Amino acid sequence: MNDREIIVSRVAKEVRDGMVVNLGIGMPTMVADYLPEGVKIILQSENGLLGMGPAPEEDKVDANIVNAGGKPVTAKAGACFFDSAMSFVIIRGGHVDLTVLGALQVDAAGSLASHIIPGKMVPGMGGAMDLVTGSKKVIVAMTHTAKGDAPKILEKITLPATAVGKVNMIVTELCVIEVVPEGLRLIEVAPGRTAAQVQERTAAKLIIADHLAG
Amino acid sequence: MVRQIDAAQAAQMIPDGATLMIGGFMSNGTPEILVDALIEKGVKNLTVIANDAGTTGTGIGKLIAAGAVRKIIASHIGLNPMAGQLMGEGKLEVELVPQGTLIEQIRAGGAGLGGVLTPTGLGTDVANGKQVISVNGKEFLLEEPLRADFALVRGSVVDEDGNIFYKGTTRNFNPVIATAADIVIAAAEQIVPPGEIPAESIATPGIFVDYMVGGEPV
């Protein structure tokens, strides 16, 4: 498995049958392809769709049905469409069980930065701020470090915050980290990795779970 | 009473400097026929309130490329590289608002509310200069209502009374902006007699619509 597959297949294990789930554009979208046997979820797309299905075959594209990235998708049997106010009633109101999204930085308090690099990349937050604010559980799925091994998991984020203290879990190609009141708790390392190796690539002090210590 | 006009007549009503709400999400559900007519007319200095800046070659992206937009209030401009470029050059003012906040500000504008209280944005740059209000021990940001001079919406099927049915995900911002502008212009893929759209399927009651324009591309 490549890094992305390692990350999304691990995130998929957090998904429970029947959950309402919002998957961010890009790598998080792949989580839907790695769900455990028998686990069925209701995918929410913030542009106004519950019950989103996979991308259609090319000859079956319906221009009226797209995902939050504007790309053609399908609506499963039992799906429904709604306007953006209802979409954010669902999102902000705590009716989404799980949000999976990428991030540029995450910190020891569970704050994340995902929407802006001042002066460089200014796409905007879209629905991300509402999703991380309102979802029952928030998982950040990302590569452990940025280009040149620059750490992305920090004591305190340095980029503008997308939300403060809202992340519950961080899944990278190296490990799984839980955000707890005391800070970041390392609960799993990928096969062939050690807790010390993970700590070396992490700028925040990790609390190492007992079974990984030593 | 809703009146049927053509796209050029619609554009004629919209002066330079107007504030427009435009429906659509990454141009899905954006009234392209009205956008094209505004570009044809050469309108300038618009303030656009919309979910996003469209894409290169579609929707609001075309308006921005034509130099018609002075300011955009949106949640996302990332699919339109030109918007970011013009912002960097100081030629386009961009105000980024969380999507759920933006839609509620518009809803408040249409619903006669003095604003909304949201937890989204607390502790972030979005909160700068805004009032934090505590309700039952929980903190919220006060976000003020938004209104516009015109709302440009896109209906899949519009009946002659202005009632609108939206297909699939094209609904998005459309029904909400239709409540929050002084003049509402609906582009329609198809115009039908009253009664053709099942009453339960109408997402925008016709009373909100002032003008309709047929010929919106399917």
Side-chain angles (χ1 to χ4, degrees):
Chain A
M1 284 200 288
N2 64 31
D3 286 354
R4 287 162 73 92
E5 289 165 340
I6 291 170
I7 294 167
V8 298
S9 60
R10 179 57 188 84
V11 170
K13 290 182 184 165
E14 297 298 315
V15 179
R16 302 285 170 265
D17 197 36
M19 274 184 164
V20 177
V21 179
N22 185 294
L23 301 175
I25 296 301
M27 181 167 62
T29 305
M30 294 165 60
V31 170
D33 301 328
Y34 288 84
L35 295 178
E37 192 76 26
V39 170
K40 289 199 173 66
I41 58 173
I42 300 167
L43 278 178
Q44 203 260 9
S45 187
E46 63 261 33
N47 55 317
L49 168 58
L50 267 173
M52 178 169 63
E57 291 164 39
E58 242 173 75
D59 59 336
K60 296 205 172 90
V61 168
D62 179 346
N64 292 306
I65 305 176
V66 301
N67 66 14
K71 294 277 190 301
V73 288
T74 48
K76 290 181 164 181
C80 61
F81 299 110
F82 34 84
D83 67 44
S84 296
M86 173 61 87
S87 188
F88 283 83
V89 165
I90 294 166
I91 288 170
R92 198 192 315 94
H95 310 284
V96 170
D97 297 306
L98 172 66
T99 284
V100 183
L101 79 171
L104 301 162
Q105 297 178 337
V106 190
D107 73 19
S111 299
L112 81 159
S114 72
H115 75 284
I116 204 164
I117 304 175
K120 273 192 188 165
M121 184 200 81
V122 192
M125 65 292 278
M129 278 194 178
D130 298 282
L131 279 160
V132 293
T133 298
S135 294
K136 287 182 189 146
K137 181 169 183 172
V138 175
I139 298 178
V140 167
M142 65 176 190
T143 55
H144 201 87
T145 52
K147 279 190 188 124
D149 285 342
K152 292 163 77 175
I153 303 172
L154 313 171
E155 285 296 344
K156 183 107 184 64
I157 55 172
T158 56
L159 292 168
T162 302
V164 176
K166 297 291 184 185
V167 176
N168 302 107
M169 182 177 270
I170 306 164
V171 178
T172 77
E173 76 282 14
L174 300 184
C175 68
V176 179
I177 292 168
E178 259 183 357
V179 183
V180 294
E182 298 75 29
L184 300 178
R185 187 164 177 268
L186 181 68
I187 58 169
E188 278 179 43
V189 295
R193 307 284 184 172
T194 67
Q197 285 171 338
V198 173
Q199 179 63 77
E200 201 176 304
R201 290 166 163 270
T202 308
K205 174 84 183 131
L206 297 172
I207 303 162
I208 315 286
D210 287 347
H211 67 280
L212 298 175
Chain B
M1 259 312 259
V2 57
R3 277 183 53 202
Q4 282 191 48
I5 56 175
D6 66 29
Q9 288 172 310
Q12 219 46 52
M13 287 192 286
I14 298 173
D16 289 355
T19 297
L20 308 184
M21 289 177 179
I22 302 179
F25 195 113
M26 306 301 174
S27 302
N28 174 246
T30 297
E32 298 284 350
I33 195 172
L34 299 179
V35 167
D36 291 343
L38 284 170
I39 294 167
E40 179 78 11
K41 185 198 169 191
V43 70
K44 298 279 179 225
N45 289 321
L46 297 175
T47 294
V48 171
I49 302 171
N51 177 62
D52 56 78
T55 72
T56 307
T58 68
I60 296 160
K62 290 189 290 191
L63 268 185
I64 290 171
V69 183
R70 182 185 66 79
K71 178 178 181 181
I72 182 164
I73 301 173
S75 77
H76 199 274
I77 61 167
L79 285 191
N80 181 351
M82 183 177 266
Q85 189 193 322
L86 292 174
M87 182 174 85
E89 293 168 5
K91 292 174 182 158
L92 176 69
E93 191 183 337
V94 176
E95 187 179 330
L96 291 169
V97 182
Q99 198 171 114
T101 298
L102 183 59
I103 198 69
E104 280 299 308
Q105 288 183 285
I106 298 168
R107 195 184 66 84
L113 299 175
V116 290
L117 298 176
T118 177
T120 303
L122 278 172
T124 76
D125 291 347
V126 167
N128 290 348
K130 290 176 185 159
Q131 230 181 305
V132 176
I133 293 177
S134 181
V135 181
N136 296 330
K138 281 174 84 172
E139 290 195 332
F140 298 91
L141 286 182
L142 172 62
E143 296 281 4
E144 295 180 0
L146 276 175
R147 287 190 60 87
D149 302 319
F150 298 88
L152 310 184
V153 306
R154 181 192 190 283
S156 305
V157 185
V158 183
D159 77 19
E160 286 158 355
D161 287 339
N163 294 303
I164 306 179
F165 166 75
Y166 303 95
K167 284 183 191 160
T169 51
T170 66
R171 196 181 310 188
N172 56 65
F173 272 50
N174 281 302
V176 187
I177 65 170
T179 68
D182 295 342
I183 294 174
V184 176
I185 306 170
E189 272 180 32
Q190 198 189 345
I191 296 176
V192 298
E196 289 272 307
I197 307 171
E200 296 89 340
S201 299
I202 291 167
T204 294
I207 60 158
F208 289 108
V209 179
D210 299 293
Y211 298 94
M212 68 172 111
V213 175
E216 174 68 18
V218 174

